[in-house]
Amino acid sequence: MPESVPHGDQPRPPRATEGIADDTAEQLSALDEQLIAQLVHRIRLARGHQLSRRAAGLPTTSLAQENAMLLRYAARLGDQGAGIALAILELSRPPASPAPAPERP
C-alpha cells in the first residue's frame, strides 16, 4: 500500500545551518513546481474527460468517481487530504460561462 501521512507525524527538525536551509528551500520550491505541473495536467485531463462524457450524453461528472477520490485522499492524508481533494475537484470543473449581458432597449 502507498505511504500515508499519519496525523501528527512530524519530522525531527535538522540542525539549522545556512547551507542546509537554503538547499531544503530550493528542493521545496522545485517540488512545488512539480506539484503544480501535475495538478495542471490532472485538471486538463479531467476537463477533457468531462467534455467526452457530455458529448456521449452522460452526466459531466461521476459522483462515484469523485467520492472514491475523496476517500483515497482522506485515507492517506486525513481530513486535510479530503480538503485537498475538494479543491482539486473544484479546479477541475470547467470555468462557468459568463452570463450574457442584458440587452439595452
Side-chain angles (χ1 to χ4, degrees):
M1 178 173 188
E3 182 182 4
S4 62
V5 179
H7 182 68
D9 183 27
Q10 297 183 10
R12 293 182 185 186
R15 292 184 183 188
T17 63
E18 192 171 316
I20 292 174
D22 289 343
D23 185 47
T24 302
E26 288 176 19
Q27 290 178 36
L28 289 170
S29 292
L31 183 58
D32 286 337
E33 289 301 318
Q34 292 171 19
L35 288 168
I36 292 167
Q38 289 296 312
L39 285 170
V40 168
H41 180 66
R42 190 199 189 285
I43 291 164
R44 288 182 176 148
L45 281 175
R47 289 181 181 178
H49 181 67
Q50 291 167 11
L51 290 173
S52 296
R53 287 179 58 87
R54 186 181 308 152
L58 298 169
T60 304
T61 60
S62 165
L63 186 57
Q65 287 178 333
E66 289 185 355
N67 284 334
M69 177 193 170
L70 287 168
L71 290 173
R72 276 194 311 273
Y73 276 70
R76 300 274 301 282
L77 302 171
D79 290 342
Q80 293 165 332
I84 292 168
L86 287 170
I88 292 170
L89 289 171
E90 185 63 30
L91 284 167
S92 298
R93 302 206 191 299
S97 301
E103 293 184 26
R104 296 193 173 233

